[in-house]
């Protein structure tokens, strides 16, 4: 519903509670009467309302017309075809391991002359074993989800009997017949509810986390039926093949054609002494990676799921080790590894527009295993030689979205305390991962010391790839991928980091700071009200020149400027107009920065309002869709699907205001109160019964865990120097007490590094001196924190 601020107005808060309780989203974002939004459009799904527009009033009305259409699917496609699927859950994996270990792989691979033949020999034997030891089941309507549940016979009889009694009452209009019908309806409803509750309780008793995730996802996720798609000529198609081709053509339209110009790029290492050319693919290494795969059943073009590779690791390690080693030394990949099945996933907006979908690529699972081994050793090399910029926080160990925002927020808070104004410019690249020029990426790989067989293999990995979109059982025609790093791959993100890694170098000599998270870039600079702001203007110009040289286009319409300043000086701040090619960036009062809403005064009211609204929607969805009121089931669902919304990056925005604390706590209060037998129990007692902690306690716990990580080098961040250990001349307490600095404004007073000091200093020595993060968490959970 946009970003809602909290108010003391009873009517306002009642409306917000109503919207949150029923899971509505408010779509009108422009004024409908003067400068106010008085006419609302509420909907429980964020994808059903489309083409909303505000038009002039009708007649002499002072309210504007709100025009919109509903994006609904009036009909469902029926498909009575029966499909056979592998039942991976009931496979005999030990038999497959025994079969694979019984093969003489040296003799088999000696008869193969290239990696393609090795791959075919391996998959032929593996598929034969799958056919022998993995059962199949017949699945009807595999492309569409059934809208009704197939109940057991006794429930179907009750439903039929209820229908007969209803017809009898309608014909006779007799009170006795009505009573009989009501009793039958009650029995039917109770039986259905008992049936669903038993299924949900059985899920808890299985103690299978994967099954629980799948069950809850089916319950709470919105499944938008893709009924039609708009083609480039404006016409609408419902043909599955045409829809798949439309998506594939759109996804491929963002590919970059290299201009043939090779920019100069200096070596980042002494390539005579520092380089990486070889990767170890020993059976032990392969087996270790296989065992750590998530046991999912989704398959790519090779038809092999992760669960098979994970559970059959001892039998597959030897042949895969030989296969990976052959592919690496020959610099050739099996043709199957270069194909990707792309699944369009709806993001937001109208469902018929291909631009509102994100392409998710399914690639060969065996290839991803080899990529993972290469990626692990590549990252070790890059980090050991400090080749990745300290400003990059994406896809890097010991860095995260939280470390990115905390470092930025630390600078902004200090600027605010010094009464400086900070201009922050957020940049967005157009389809960055799909637009990377392969020749230009390879130039940078050489400069970072990627040589020999590794360079050759990566070059082959990037070239001559193809993709096709999969919709149900229909596939689009295959299209050659001419640019980008494969998004469904393991190696792709690391290759992108190397491509964009030098971007911070273009700002040398300027009084600006740069923070990156993958392709998300923000530049900021502080200044006095009367000083010049030219450095940031120069930095934007340099960034644009870099993007032109390396052919990574900036989406100017998605770039924003946010000014952080003291509220008393807002009117006197003459913010410069920032932009590119005479096209100005939009100026906003708040911006969503890696999932956290940042406003111009570094208050997090809007962020908290947004996450509370989203969490209440999710909590109500769980309460409405679950028949069971089993406390264990509902508590697990809440902790898995609701609480993370309220705790994401909490060290960044954790509030000190009691009103905001209560607003966040209200979500857990509301949910726990609606569990069976807990309506009249106090909140404190409900938490004890359910073995839960208050959300405020959990935020303090997160602060302390982050503090421990920073002080013990488990998080690589620039704010480590802010947590200063005091010169301990006192014997009371532990020896790692922190210094608390004087702060003149709330933004710095309640910033993480200052907020955590008191509670950290109050901990006993055995907790702060814990030898590992796991033992620290374990001791901390048993310790009663003072709030």
């Amino acid at each position: 519903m946009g970003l809602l601020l909290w108010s003391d107005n009873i009517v306002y808060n009642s409306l917000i509670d109503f919207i949150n309780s029923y899971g509505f989203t408010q779509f009108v974002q422009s004024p409908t009467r003067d400068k106010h939004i008085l006419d609302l459009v509420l909907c429980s799904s964020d994808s059903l309302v489309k083409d909303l527009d505000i038009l002039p009033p009708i007649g002499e009305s002072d309210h504007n017309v709100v025009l919109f259409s509903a994006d609904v699917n009036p009909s469902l496609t029926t498909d009575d075809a029966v499909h056979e699927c592998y039942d991976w859950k009931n496979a005999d994996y030990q038999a497959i391991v025994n079969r694979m270990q019984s093969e003489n792989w040296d003799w088999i691979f000696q008869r193969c002359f290239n990696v393609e033949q090795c791959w075919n020999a391996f998959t032929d034997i593996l598929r034969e074993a799958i056919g022998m030891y993995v059962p199949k089941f017949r699945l009807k309507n595999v492309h569409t989800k059934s809208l009704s549940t197939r109940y057991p016979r006794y429930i179907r009889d009750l439903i039929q009997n209820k229908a007969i009694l209803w017809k009898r009452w309608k014909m006779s209009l007799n009170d006795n017949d009505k009573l009989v019908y009501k009793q039958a309806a009650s029995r039917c409803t109770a039986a259905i509810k008992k049936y669903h509750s038993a299924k949900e309780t059985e899920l808890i008793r299985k103690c299978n986390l994967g099954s629980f995730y799948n069950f809850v996802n089916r319950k709470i996720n919105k499944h938008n039926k893709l009924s039609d798609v708009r083609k480039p000529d404006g016409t609408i198609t419902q043909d599955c093949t045409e829809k798949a081709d439309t998506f594939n053509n759109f996804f491929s339209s963002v590919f970059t054609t290299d201009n043939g110009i090779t920019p100069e790029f200096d070596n980042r290492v002494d390539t005579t002494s520092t380089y990486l050319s070889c990767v170890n693919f020993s059976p032990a290494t392969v087996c270790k990676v296989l065992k750590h795969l998530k046991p999912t059943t989704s398959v790519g073009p090779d038809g092999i799921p992760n669960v098979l590779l994970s559970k059959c690791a001892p039998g597959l390690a030897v042949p895969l080790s030989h296969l990976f080693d052959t592919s690496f030394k020959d610099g050739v990949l099996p043709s199957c590894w270069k194909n990707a099945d792309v699944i369009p996933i709806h993001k937001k907006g109208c469902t018929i527009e291909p631009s509102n979908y994100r392409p998710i690529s399914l690639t060969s699972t065996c290839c991803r295993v080899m990529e993972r081994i290469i990626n692990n050793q590549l990252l070790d090399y890059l980090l050991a030689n400090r080749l990745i910029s300290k400003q990059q926080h994406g896809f890097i160990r010991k860095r995260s979205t939280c470390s990115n925002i905390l470092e930025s927020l630390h600078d902004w808070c200090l600027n605010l305390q010094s009464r400086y104004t900070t201009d922050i410019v957020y940049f967005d690249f157009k389809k960055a991962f799909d637009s990377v020029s392969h020749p230009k990426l390879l130039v940078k790989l050489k400069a970072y010391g990627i040589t020999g067989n590794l360079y050759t293999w990566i070059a082959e990995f990037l070239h001559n790839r193809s993709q096709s979109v999969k919709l149900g059982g229909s596939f689009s025609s295959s299209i050659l991928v001419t640019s980008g790093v494969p998004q469904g791959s393991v190696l792709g993100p690391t290759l992108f980091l190397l491509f964009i890694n030098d971007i911070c170098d273009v700002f040398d000599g300027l009084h600006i700071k740069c923070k990156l998270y993958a392709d998300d870039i923000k530049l900021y600079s502080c200044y006095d009200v009367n000083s010049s702001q030219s450095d940031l203007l120069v930095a934007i110009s340099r960034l644009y020149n870099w993007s032109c040289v390396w052919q990574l286009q900036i989406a100017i319409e998605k770039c924003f400027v946010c000014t952080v300043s003291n509220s008393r000086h807002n009117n006197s701040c003459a913010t410069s107009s920032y932009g590119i090619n005479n096209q100005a960036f939009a100026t906003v009062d708040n911006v969503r920065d890696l999932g956290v809403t940042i406003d111009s005064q570094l208050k997090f009211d809007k962020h908290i309002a947004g996450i509370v609204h989203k969490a209440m929607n999710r909590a109500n969805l769980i309460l409405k869709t679950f028949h069971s009121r089993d406390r264990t089931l509902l508590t697990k669902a809440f902790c898995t699907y609701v609480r993370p919304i309220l705790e994401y990056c909490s060290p960044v925005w954790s509030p000190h205001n009691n009103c905001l604390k209560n607003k966040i706590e209200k979500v857990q209060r509301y949910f726990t109160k609606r569990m069976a037998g807990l309506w009249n129990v106090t909140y404190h007692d409900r938490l004890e019964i359910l073995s839960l902690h208050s959300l405020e306690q959990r935020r303090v716990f997160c602060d302390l865990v982050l503090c421990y990580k920073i002080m013990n080098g488990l998080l690589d961040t620039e704010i480590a120097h802010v947590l200063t250990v005091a010169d301990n001349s006192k014997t009371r307490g532990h020896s790692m007490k922190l210094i608390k600095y004087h702060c003149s404004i709330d933004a710095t007073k309640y910033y993480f590094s200052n907020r955590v000091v008191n509670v950290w200093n109050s901990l006993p020595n055995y907790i702060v001196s814990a030898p590992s993060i796991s033992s620290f968490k374990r001791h901390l959970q048993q310790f009663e924190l003072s709030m």
Side-chain angles (χ1 to χ4, degrees):
M1 146 160 213
L3 293 172
L4 304 173
L5 295 178
W6 305 114
S7 169
D8 294 332
N9 187 285
I10 297 178
V11 176
Y12 176 86
N13 287 332
S14 298
L15 174 63
I16 298 305
D17 288 341
F18 166 77
I19 291 173
N20 286 339
S21 297
Y22 288 91
F24 286 124
T25 298
Q26 203 285 105
F27 288 85
V28 180
Q29 302 296 327
S30 301
T32 59
R33 182 178 183 271
D34 296 331
K35 298 181 179 180
H36 307 287
I37 301 177
L38 299 183
D39 304 276
L40 309 179
V41 175
L42 303 176
C43 183
S44 59
S45 172
D46 58 2
S47 62
L48 291 182
V49 176
K50 65 175 183 178
D51 302 330
L52 189 145
D53 196 10
I54 308 298
L55 302 178
I58 296 176
E60 297 181 356
S61 172
D62 57 353
H63 287 256
N64 294 339
V65 172
V66 180
L67 183 67
F68 65 93
S69 57
D71 185 14
V72 296
N73 178 27
S75 62
L76 289 174
T77 304
T78 59
D79 182 4
D80 294 330
V82 177
H83 303 265
E84 283 193 336
C85 301
Y86 283 112
D87 186 5
W88 299 106
K89 190 179 297 183
N90 297 310
D92 188 350
Y93 292 108
Q94 187 56 49
I96 297 176
V97 171
N98 295 338
R99 170 63 193 280
M100 302 304 285
Q101 287 179 335
S102 68
E103 296 289 340
N104 187 342
W105 292 106
D106 289 336
W107 182 79
I108 292 172
F109 288 135
Q110 280 176 3
R111 299 191 303 167
C112 301
F113 297 101
N114 53 50
V115 71
E116 191 73 33
Q117 292 182 2
C118 291
W119 170 252
N120 291 335
F122 167 75
T123 53
D124 286 345
I125 296 173
L126 182 59
R127 289 195 177 99
E128 184 180 341
I130 290 173
M132 293 173 61
Y133 302 114
V134 181
K136 291 184 178 181
F137 64 93
R138 296 168 70 83
L139 182 64
K140 188 177 180 181
N141 294 339
V142 71
H143 305 320
T144 58
K145 293 196 177 285
S146 175
L147 297 181
S148 60
T149 303
R150 179 69 175 175
Y151 291 113
R153 182 70 186 181
Y154 75 93
I155 292 182
R156 297 202 303 271
D157 289 343
L158 288 173
I159 294 173
Q160 185 177 7
N161 183 52
K162 185 183 77 168
I164 293 172
L165 294 176
W166 182 81
K167 289 181 180 179
R168 179 188 297 174
W169 167 51
K170 282 299 181 182
M171 293 178 64
S172 67
L173 298 178
N174 186 290
D175 289 341
N176 289 332
D177 290 339
K178 179 180 180 181
L179 179 62
V180 172
Y181 162 72
K182 289 285 188 181
Q183 292 172 345
S186 297
R187 289 195 298 272
C188 183
T189 301
I192 292 174
K193 185 175 182 179
K194 185 177 180 180
Y195 169 78
H196 285 294
S197 297
K199 297 284 283 185
E200 294 166 354
T201 304
E202 181 185 0
L203 179 73
I204 288 297
R205 289 174 180 168
K206 286 171 62 178
C207 294
N208 187 311
L209 190 59
S211 298
F212 176 79
Y213 281 156
N214 292 334
F215 178 80
V216 179
N217 280 330
R218 289 196 299 270
K219 287 278 189 179
I220 67 178
N221 281 354
K222 304 179 181 70
H223 297 284
N224 296 311
K225 173 68 179 173
L226 186 59
S227 58
D228 45 26
V229 172
R230 194 190 306 277
K231 297 168 66 175
D233 59 6
T235 60
I236 304 296
T237 179
Q238 292 187 339
D239 179 77
C240 286
T241 304
E242 285 190 354
K243 289 189 290 186
D245 282 329
T246 300
F247 275 113
N248 206 20
N249 291 331
F250 173 76
F251 294 150
S252 62
S253 66
V254 302
F255 292 156
T256 299
T257 301
D258 188 77
N259 56 16
I261 301 174
T262 304
E264 292 185 5
F265 194 75
D266 296 334
N267 286 340
R268 299 307 170 102
V269 295
D270 181 0
T271 54
T272 61
S273 58
T274 305
Y275 59 89
L276 181 65
S277 61
C278 297
V279 175
N280 174 30
F281 296 104
S282 67
T285 301
V286 174
C287 188
K288 182 179 179 181
V289 172
L290 290 176
K291 287 182 177 179
H292 283 84
L293 293 176
K294 291 183 179 180
T296 58
T297 57
S298 60
V299 299
D302 58 9
I304 302 173
N306 273 0
V307 64
L308 176 67
L309 298 176
S310 176
K311 295 194 174 184
C312 298
L316 298 176
V318 171
L320 284 177
S321 171
H322 185 281
L323 185 65
F324 295 162
D325 196 55
T326 302
S327 173
F328 188 78
K329 289 178 179 177
D330 292 351
V332 180
L333 282 72
S335 57
C336 177
W337 291 10
K338 292 192 172 189
N339 302 328
D341 295 338
V342 178
I343 309 297
I345 302 298
H346 183 252
K347 297 183 293 185
K348 59 181 180 179
C350 179
T351 58
I352 68 173
E353 298 293 344
S355 58
N356 292 331
Y357 288 79
R358 177 185 293 109
I360 301 298
S361 298
L362 300 178
T363 57
S364 168
T365 51
C366 291
C367 182
R368 289 204 297 270
V369 173
M370 184 175 179
E371 291 176 59
R372 193 174 299 278
I373 296 171
I374 294 174
N375 192 60
N376 290 341
Q377 298 182 41
L378 176 59
L379 280 176
D380 288 342
Y381 163 78
L382 295 172
L383 295 176
N385 291 282
R386 300 181 180 180
L387 297 177
I388 299 294
S389 171
K390 294 282 288 184
Q391 311 308 325
Q392 176 63 262
H393 294 255
F395 311 118
I396 299 294
R397 289 181 290 234
K398 298 185 179 181
R399 303 180 205 172
S400 63
T401 55
C402 188
S403 63
N404 180 299
I405 305 174
L406 276 176
E407 288 184 5
S408 305
L409 192 63
H410 175 255
D411 294 334
W412 302 339
C413 286
L414 293 181
N415 294 343
L416 204 60
Q417 179 163 289
S418 301
R419 299 190 180 278
Y420 288 132
T421 296
T422 306
D423 283 348
I424 315 163
V425 185
Y426 291 86
F427 293 89
D428 186 84
F429 288 109
K430 288 185 179 179
K431 306 292 182 182
F433 280 76
D434 295 324
S435 304
V436 173
S437 166
H438 293 161
K440 291 178 171 58
L441 171 59
L442 293 174
V443 167
K444 294 190 175 185
L445 292 183
K446 280 188 175 180
Y448 286 108
I450 311 301
T451 62
N453 288 337
L454 179 57
Y455 176 85
T456 303
W457 192 91
I458 292 177
E460 182 64 20
F461 172 76
L462 294 172
H463 291 154
N464 298 320
R465 301 189 67 89
S466 63
Q467 70 177 37
S468 58
V469 170
K470 179 182 179 182
L471 288 179
S474 300
F475 285 85
S476 70
S477 56
S478 183
I479 288 182
L480 188 67
V481 178
T482 58
S483 69
V485 292
Q487 290 202 52
S489 66
V490 178
L491 197 54
T494 303
L495 295 178
F496 182 82
L497 293 189
L498 289 175
F499 184 78
I500 205 172
N501 189 54
D502 63 294
I503 200 168
C504 295
D505 297 346
V506 304
F507 310 122
D508 288 346
L510 299 179
H511 294 289
I512 65 105
K513 287 197 175 183
C514 171
K515 299 294 177 186
L516 298 92
Y517 190 89
D519 62 322
D520 290 323
I521 301 177
K522 55 178 175 270
L523 303 179
Y524 56 90
S525 177
C526 69
Y527 56 90
D528 195 3
V529 175
N530 299 318
S531 68
S532 170
Q533 305 158 44
S534 59
D535 272 6
L536 199 50
L537 293 171
V538 173
I540 294 172
S541 177
R542 291 186 184 181
L543 177 61
Y544 175 68
N545 292 335
W546 181 94
S547 70
C548 293
V549 170
W550 296 103
Q551 291 188 269
L552 204 62
Q553 192 175 0
I554 296 175
I556 300 177
E557 67 280 0
K558 294 183 180 180
C559 298
F560 300 97
V561 180
C562 184
T563 299
V564 174
S565 64
N566 190 296
S567 59
R568 290 172 295 178
H569 299 124
N570 274 343
N571 295 332
S572 60
C573 290
T575 304
S576 290
S577 176
Y578 301 105
I580 294 174
N581 288 341
N582 297 322
Q583 187 174 347
F585 299 152
T587 302
V588 295
D589 292 329
N590 58 79
V591 64
R592 190 171 175 81
D593 186 349
L594 299 178
V596 178
T597 302
I598 306 291
D599 65 21
S600 58
Q601 296 179 38
L602 301 185
K603 297 179 179 178
F604 294 98
D605 307 49
K606 294 185 174 76
H607 175 75
I608 292 172
I611 62 172
V612 167
H613 172 70
K614 186 176 180 181
M616 283 292 286
N617 286 358
R618 182 62 59 86
N620 276 285
L621 203 54
I622 290 174
L623 291 172
K624 287 190 292 185
T625 54
F626 279 78
H627 295 79
S628 172
R629 281 298 172 260
D630 182 273
R631 295 174 183 173
T632 305
L633 177 71
L634 293 178
T635 301
K636 194 171 184 179
F638 178 84
C639 295
T640 306
Y641 289 91
V642 179
R643 202 165 62 183
I645 299 173
L646 299 169
E647 295 181 348
Y648 170 73
C649 276
S650 64
V652 172
W653 53 264
S654 185
H656 65 278
N657 184 291
N658 286 332
C659 177
L660 295 179
K661 289 181 182 179
N662 291 335
K663 292 295 182 182
I664 299 171
E665 206 71 44
K666 183 178 180 181
V667 181
Q668 188 164 268
R669 289 177 183 272
Y670 171 86
F671 192 89
T672 56
K673 196 177 183 69
R674 278 150 184 79
M675 292 190 187
L678 299 183
W679 180 262
N680 293 319
V681 180
T682 64
Y683 180 54
H684 180 268
D685 291 340
R686 292 201 301 272
L687 294 182
E688 286 193 355
I689 293 171
L690 298 172
S691 300
L692 293 175
H693 294 286
S694 71
L695 297 178
E696 183 179 5
Q697 282 180 306
R698 288 184 57 82
R699 289 195 300 275
V700 175
F701 181 86
C702 288
D703 282 353
L704 292 172
V705 170
L706 182 64
C707 183
Y708 178 90
K709 287 181 177 180
I710 294 175
M711 296 188 67
N712 290 274
L714 301 178
L715 191 71
D716 185 9
T717 174
E718 293 180 352
I719 66 168
H721 71 279
V722 181
L723 298 176
T724 308
V725 178
D727 183 12
N728 193 16
S729 57
K730 299 181 180 178
T731 57
R732 179 173 297 182
H734 58 79
S735 59
M736 298 180 65
K737 287 191 175 182
L738 300 174
I739 297 175
K740 190 167 188 178
Y741 295 97
H742 172 73
C743 303
S744 58
I745 61 173
D746 285 351
T748 50
K749 185 187 299 183
Y750 299 107
Y751 173 71
F752 162 75
S753 61
N754 232 40
R755 182 181 68 236
V756 76
V757 171
N758 287 347
V759 63
W760 173 267
N761 290 346
S762 68
L763 295 177
N765 188 65
Y766 75 91
I767 295 181
V768 299
S769 59
S772 66
I773 185 65
S774 58
S775 61
F776 176 81
K777 290 180 179 179
R778 186 173 61 253
H779 292 321
L780 193 59
Q781 287 171 342
Q782 299 169 354
F783 181 75
E784 186 174 349
L785 294 170
S786 56
M787 304 301 294

